[in-house]
Amino acid sequence: MSREELPVFRLVDLRKIYGQGEAAVHALRGVDLTVAEGELLVLLGPSGSGKSTLLNVLGGLDRPSSGSCFFRESDLANAADAEVTQYRRRHVGFVFQFYNLIASLTAQENVELVTEVSTEPMPASEALELVGLGKRLHHFPAQLSGGEQQRVAIARAIAKRPTVLLCDEPTGALDVATGVHVLEAIVTANNKLGTTTLLITHNADIARIGDRVVRFADGHIRSIEANERRIPPSELHW
Amino acid sequence: MRLATLDRKLLRDLKRLKAQAIAVSAVLACGVALFVMATGMYDSLERARDNYYDSARMADVAVSVVRAPDPVANDLAELPGVNAIEARVTGIGLLDLAGKSDPVSARLVSLPPDRHPRVNDVLLRAGRWPDPTRDNEVLINEAFAEANYLAPGAQLRALIYGRYRELDVVGIASSPEFVFAVAPGGMLPEPERFGVVWMGREALGRAFDVDGAFNEVTFRLGPGADIRDTIFAIDERLARHGGRGAYGRDRMLSAQFLADELTSLRTMASILPPIFLLVAVFLLNVSLSRLVATERSNIGLLKSFGYGNLSIALHYMKFAIVFALLGAAIGVLVGRYLGGYMASIYQKVYRIPELAFDAKINVYLWAVVVSLIAALLGAAQAVLRAARLPPAAALAPPAPVGFSRLGQGIENAARNLDGKSRMVARRIARFPRRSATTVVGVMLALALLITSQHFPISMNHIVDVTFGVAQRMDATLTFAETADDKILAEVGRLPGVFSVEPLRATEVIFTAGSRTRRDTLMGLTEGAYLYRLLDQNMDAVDVRADGITLSQNVANKLGVKIGDTVSVQATDGHRAHAEMTVVAVVKPYLAGAAYMQLGALSRALREPGRVSAAYVLMDSRERDALNREVKELPMIAGVSFLSNASASMRKMLNEGSGFFSYMFVVFSCLMAAGVAYSAARVTFAEQERDLATLRVLGFSRREVSYVLLAEIGALLIVALPAGAILGALLSRWLMAQFQTELFTFPYITESSAYGRSALFVAAAVVGAALAVRRGVDRLDLVGVLKSRE
Ligand SMILES: Nc1ncnc2c1ncn2[C@@H]1O[C@H](COP(=O)(O)OP(=O)(O)OP(=O)(O)O)[C@@H](O)[C@H]1O
Ligand SMILES: [Mg+2]
């Protein structure tokens, strides 16, 4: 099989248990999922159903308790710590609910922090242009609005041309109009760069921007539906 | 009993903050320990000395005379201000100890026939009191007995006034007069080579040919007596009998050494502890400010529940109080231990019964008070901030820390930095006071260590210069009394002797204006080769015939400078009086005196051709032969070999210095580590989220550690050279502070002192930073994403 035909992620009976004995929490109770190259996947589900846990495992931030989690041909479940770090560095772009920008660096520097150590990054200014922040390069996070900060975070995530973009409730802390801007930035990256994207949301409307929608419940995948058509974020109303 | 909820919070927070509590308390404890040690030792030594001086009736004034008939003593006792007197016979003799080639000098002191001395009591430590009917029964001093393994029952062969006598040691004794027993012409106690021998007045009087007379009187003064008036009256009364001028304790070497030691202790107590306390204040300020900043919302919540500003302030004050009490407790324990060790060293040097480290309760109370004050000073700012925080503002999220670009110049320079280094640079610039605290703390630690390393260097230098460059004789022969210079030819004929140089040393009283001082005037030959006068630039200063050369010390005491005139009054011989011009001022390291060309001195004293000692250069293989002959020469009161003197000197100066040098290494490293640890902890706590984010973004542990450690590293790079400079200045200043009557510590530097100190301090800082760095391995990557800042 050539690389192109390999799925980006292939999960087999993935389980995650926090704690032990009485207090054990089964966050993932056997997840099987395959994610294809270039796909935009939306994860939906009630609070506590295991969405973030899954995303963290996929991003190499957390380890599954059992099962396998293949990124292309390597199993993240059994990789060494340094390998996982390398994986995050080369292949993963993260976007979080709370932006997680470095307060002591400007927008541009936050992006450069990542591009400095990537192999073929786009210029930081170009990444910021892509998310519509070409004019705010030299502002510190404290000088930007929440939506702008989130877009800096997206620019930071996509500037290194990651293989996958993992977004955990990127619009959770934002109002509608701002949220649309942010989603547009994510969709743009997916379209223009072909970045495989996984996006967690609580908002069923947002699910319509994806290729497929994965519904979570209680640590299981309850259903997977393919959207007939991807709706551009600008047409969303919620 | 239920603890108030706030106090339970206090306990839980303290548990969480224990590492920082230890860092702050450790630095505080160092300061307290030094305070307890130095102050406690000062008190103990002073008290032990005063008790001893009181109970054993240490003389306030003493005078030696050529010879005064016994009845004169009754007159002296009647003088106003005099409480008690003891007229006695004393002199110098040589002892021949079995198995010892080098002759031993002894100071012979008479005991009254039927009682203890009324002044300078003699305390029996072992054996019994001599039988007054037996001429040859004697007591010897404790230090000498121990150094030469002599016990009651031992026999000594003594050469007294040219005649040999067999002496039976019947007891071992001590006296406040000889707490620190120094041979005539010597500078240091050398118990192997100098002893005190007490024997019956009758026998000693006969031996020295002063039957029915005395040649020394010691006095105790009554309360409120004016010592200068009394001295004046004594001198007047004894003038006819050859009085050599009465003097007070300031010219009694043993008392002088003790006073010197007390001065050093006081200097130490007043300079060192404050440095540590100051650093502890800074540390506490940083830690508590950080605590209050992280607890903003808690404070707001508590206030919204109705807790008053005062109880909030008190709550945070209690943190400081706990740190202070912890520091004080550790400091007191360590200080007591150090004090005990110091006392054990003092016991070896100073023969004071019941000398032990015994700090009184007020020393400990002060230790606690001082650390509380330091803690409250350190906490004040943070506590005020907590008290003043309006509840609404406290509940709102904190205003984001505003970072800004540095100055344009710095930004340009930073352009080539990578993002991580830029984070570090901006943080340092954003929190200048905190960065400065770290730099200053590390600087002070380094400076202190460098300074402590300079003392042994300085001491060794003193010994090297004194016994290598200034004094180049192999041996010094001291004459029992000033002798005719014909004796020099005789000395020259002693076995192995190549060359001889004379010395005339005499006690004189200098007067300049209203100031007077009794000191030694030394007559040296011009172009002397064996004993050279050196100033601190190591230039040999030739004594001059056209005037007097003063040591800095004497010049200061008299308030004179080059070109001024001092009047010189001899205390013996013809009691000549002369006006002399000060032609030079020198700065010798050891007990400076005054110097003149020998011939000019003799003329001024109207006693030509007299010498009091001879310096010789000799073949060391002939030492035994020389010793044998010297023991037969009645005029010689002592022989001291340079090699022995320099070894004793080194031993005394270095006594305990190894231990204290370790102590300073430990204390300085604790200070540096405490400062670095606190700084790194705060940096880590503030940046934990950023560091975790960097890890999430795919930066390795090493890269993330860099962000944490580079800050400390950068501050260390600034602190090391600054600390070295401060160390040089502090050493210089402290050396000057520790200057006493008897010693001048030169500031002599060796680059190794800097290198070694920097290495220790850097290691302490790196160790502390690495301890904090372990937090990077435990960063919670997932947790940091779930929460807002
Ligand atoms: N570190 C942890 N220790 C123990 N339990 C945990 C931990 N992290 C998550 N859990 C539990 O695992 C389950 C799944 O959590 P997860 O964060 O994946 O939910 P989620 O679907 O992302 O919810 P939300 O929509 O609220 O973000 C929850 O029951 C949660 O309590
Ligand atoms: Mg979640």
Side-chain angles (χ1 to χ4, degrees), chain B residues 66-82:
Chain B
V66 173
R67 181 199 165 98
D70 284 341
V72 174
N74 298 332
D75 295 355
L76 291 173
E78 297 300 310
L79 289 178
V82 171

mmCIF file of all heavy atoms in Angstrom, chain B residues 66-82:
data_model
loop_
_atom_site.group_PDB
_atom_site.id
_atom_site.type_symbol
_atom_site.label_atom_id
_atom_site.label_comp_id
_atom_site.label_asym_id
_atom_site.label_seq_id
_atom_site.Cartn_x
_atom_site.Cartn_y
_atom_site.Cartn_z
ATOM 1 N N VAL B 66 63.196 48.038 88.889
ATOM 2 C CA VAL B 66 64.489 47.370 88.937
ATOM 3 C C VAL B 66 64.586 46.608 90.259
ATOM 4 O O VAL B 66 64.877 45.418 90.299
ATOM 5 C CB VAL B 66 65.627 48.387 88.795
ATOM 6 C CG1 VAL B 66 66.976 47.724 89.012
ATOM 7 C CG2 VAL B 66 65.559 49.039 87.412
ATOM 8 N N ARG B 67 64.274 47.301 91.317
ATOM 9 C CA ARG B 67 64.349 46.675 92.629
ATOM 10 C C ARG B 67 63.806 47.651 93.654
ATOM 11 O O ARG B 67 64.302 48.774 93.777
ATOM 12 C CB ARG B 67 65.819 46.359 92.944
ATOM 13 C CG ARG B 67 66.050 45.697 94.261
ATOM 14 C CD ARG B 67 67.518 45.862 94.670
ATOM 15 N NE ARG B 67 67.632 45.544 96.071
ATOM 16 C CZ ARG B 67 68.031 44.345 96.521
ATOM 17 N NH1 ARG B 67 68.395 43.414 95.681
ATOM 18 N NH2 ARG B 67 68.064 44.118 97.810
ATOM 19 N N ALA B 68 62.768 47.247 94.370
ATOM 20 C CA ALA B 68 62.219 48.137 95.399
ATOM 21 C C ALA B 68 62.146 47.352 96.695
ATOM 22 O O ALA B 68 61.699 46.209 96.708
ATOM 23 C CB ALA B 68 60.838 48.625 94.987
ATOM 24 N N PRO B 69 62.582 47.949 97.787
ATOM 25 C CA PRO B 69 62.544 47.228 99.060
ATOM 26 C C PRO B 69 61.106 46.935 99.481
ATOM 27 O O PRO B 69 60.201 47.711 99.175
ATOM 28 C CB PRO B 69 63.195 48.210 100.036
ATOM 29 C CG PRO B 69 63.663 49.369 99.253
ATOM 30 C CD PRO B 69 63.105 49.300 97.893
ATOM 31 N N ASP B 70 60.927 45.831 100.199
ATOM 32 C CA ASP B 70 59.586 45.399 100.572
ATOM 33 C C ASP B 70 58.693 46.488 101.175
ATOM 34 O O ASP B 70 57.509 46.567 100.842
ATOM 35 C CB ASP B 70 59.669 44.202 101.532
ATOM 36 C CG ASP B 70 60.016 42.938 100.767
ATOM 37 O OD1 ASP B 70 59.823 42.940 99.517
ATOM 38 O OD2 ASP B 70 60.470 41.960 101.374
ATOM 39 N N PRO B 71 59.210 47.331 102.080
ATOM 40 C CA PRO B 71 58.312 48.309 102.711
ATOM 41 C C PRO B 71 57.635 49.249 101.714
ATOM 42 O O PRO B 71 56.552 49.764 101.986
ATOM 43 C CB PRO B 71 59.242 49.099 103.635
ATOM 44 C CG PRO B 71 60.403 48.196 103.879
ATOM 45 C CD PRO B 71 60.579 47.390 102.652
ATOM 46 N N VAL B 72 58.236 49.452 100.559
ATOM 47 C CA VAL B 72 57.629 50.339 99.558
ATOM 48 C C VAL B 72 56.237 49.831 99.178
ATOM 49 O O VAL B 72 55.331 50.606 98.879
ATOM 50 C CB VAL B 72 58.535 50.438 98.309
ATOM 51 C CG1 VAL B 72 57.851 51.237 97.211
ATOM 52 C CG2 VAL B 72 59.862 51.075 98.679
ATOM 53 N N ALA B 73 56.106 48.501 99.239
ATOM 54 C CA ALA B 73 54.808 47.913 98.876
ATOM 55 C C ALA B 73 53.691 48.472 99.748
ATOM 56 O O ALA B 73 52.573 48.691 99.283
ATOM 57 C CB ALA B 73 54.883 46.393 98.996
ATOM 58 N N ASN B 74 54.007 48.689 101.019
ATOM 59 C CA ASN B 74 52.973 49.220 101.922
ATOM 60 C C ASN B 74 52.515 50.603 101.467
ATOM 61 O O ASN B 74 51.333 50.926 101.514
ATOM 62 C CB ASN B 74 53.499 49.292 103.348
ATOM 63 C CG ASN B 74 53.850 47.907 103.860
ATOM 64 O OD1 ASN B 74 53.266 46.914 103.413
ATOM 65 N ND2 ASN B 74 54.831 47.845 104.759
ATOM 66 N N ASP B 75 53.481 51.418 101.000
ATOM 67 C CA ASP B 75 53.123 52.739 100.495
ATOM 68 C C ASP B 75 52.207 52.627 99.294
ATOM 69 O O ASP B 75 51.236 53.367 99.149
ATOM 70 C CB ASP B 75 54.373 53.515 100.069
ATOM 71 C CG ASP B 75 55.262 53.821 101.260
ATOM 72 O OD1 ASP B 75 54.847 53.504 102.392
ATOM 73 O OD2 ASP B 75 56.353 54.373 101.026
ATOM 74 N N LEU B 76 52.573 51.702 98.415
ATOM 75 C CA LEU B 76 51.778 51.553 97.189
ATOM 76 C C LEU B 76 50.347 51.148 97.518
ATOM 77 O O LEU B 76 49.396 51.602 96.892
ATOM 78 C CB LEU B 76 52.418 50.504 96.265
ATOM 79 C CG LEU B 76 53.753 50.912 95.635
ATOM 80 C CD1 LEU B 76 54.378 49.732 94.892
ATOM 81 C CD2 LEU B 76 53.569 52.094 94.689
ATOM 82 N N ALA B 77 50.203 50.288 98.514
ATOM 83 C CA ALA B 77 48.865 49.821 98.880
ATOM 84 C C ALA B 77 48.004 50.969 99.376
ATOM 85 O O ALA B 77 46.780 50.923 99.298
ATOM 86 C CB ALA B 77 48.960 48.729 99.944
ATOM 87 N N GLU B 78 48.672 52.017 99.887
ATOM 88 C CA GLU B 78 47.929 53.148 100.442
ATOM 89 C C GLU B 78 47.491 54.147 99.370
ATOM 90 O O GLU B 78 46.722 55.051 99.644
ATOM 91 C CB GLU B 78 48.822 53.915 101.442
ATOM 92 C CG GLU B 78 49.233 53.091 102.651
ATOM 93 C CD GLU B 78 48.027 52.615 103.432
ATOM 94 O OE1 GLU B 78 47.165 53.465 103.739
ATOM 95 O OE2 GLU B 78 47.919 51.392 103.689
ATOM 96 N N LEU B 79 48.010 53.999 98.183
ATOM 97 C CA LEU B 79 47.689 54.990 97.138
ATOM 98 C C LEU B 79 46.190 55.019 96.895
ATOM 99 O O LEU B 79 45.516 53.993 96.956
ATOM 100 C CB LEU B 79 48.419 54.643 95.831
ATOM 101 C CG LEU B 79 49.932 54.849 95.842
ATOM 102 C CD1 LEU B 79 50.523 54.425 94.502
ATOM 103 C CD2 LEU B 79 50.268 56.304 96.129
ATOM 104 N N PRO B 80 45.652 56.218 96.592
ATOM 105 C CA PRO B 80 44.210 56.313 96.344
ATOM 106 C C PRO B 80 43.826 55.485 95.120
ATOM 107 O O PRO B 80 44.560 55.436 94.146
ATOM 108 C CB PRO B 80 43.985 57.800 96.084
ATOM 109 C CG PRO B 80 45.319 58.364 95.771
ATOM 110 C CD PRO B 80 46.329 57.514 96.477
ATOM 111 N N GLY B 81 42.686 54.831 95.239
ATOM 112 C CA GLY B 81 42.191 54.036 94.107
ATOM 113 C C GLY B 81 42.663 52.608 94.125
ATOM 114 O O GLY B 81 42.105 51.756 93.445
ATOM 115 N N VAL B 82 43.716 52.327 94.886
ATOM 116 C CA VAL B 82 44.248 50.959 94.889
ATOM 117 C C VAL B 82 43.483 50.115 95.897
ATOM 118 O O VAL B 82 43.334 50.483 97.042
ATOM 119 C CB VAL B 82 45.751 50.970 95.215
ATOM 120 C CG1 VAL B 82 46.252 49.549 95.428
ATOM 121 C CG2 VAL B 82 46.517 51.660 94.111
#
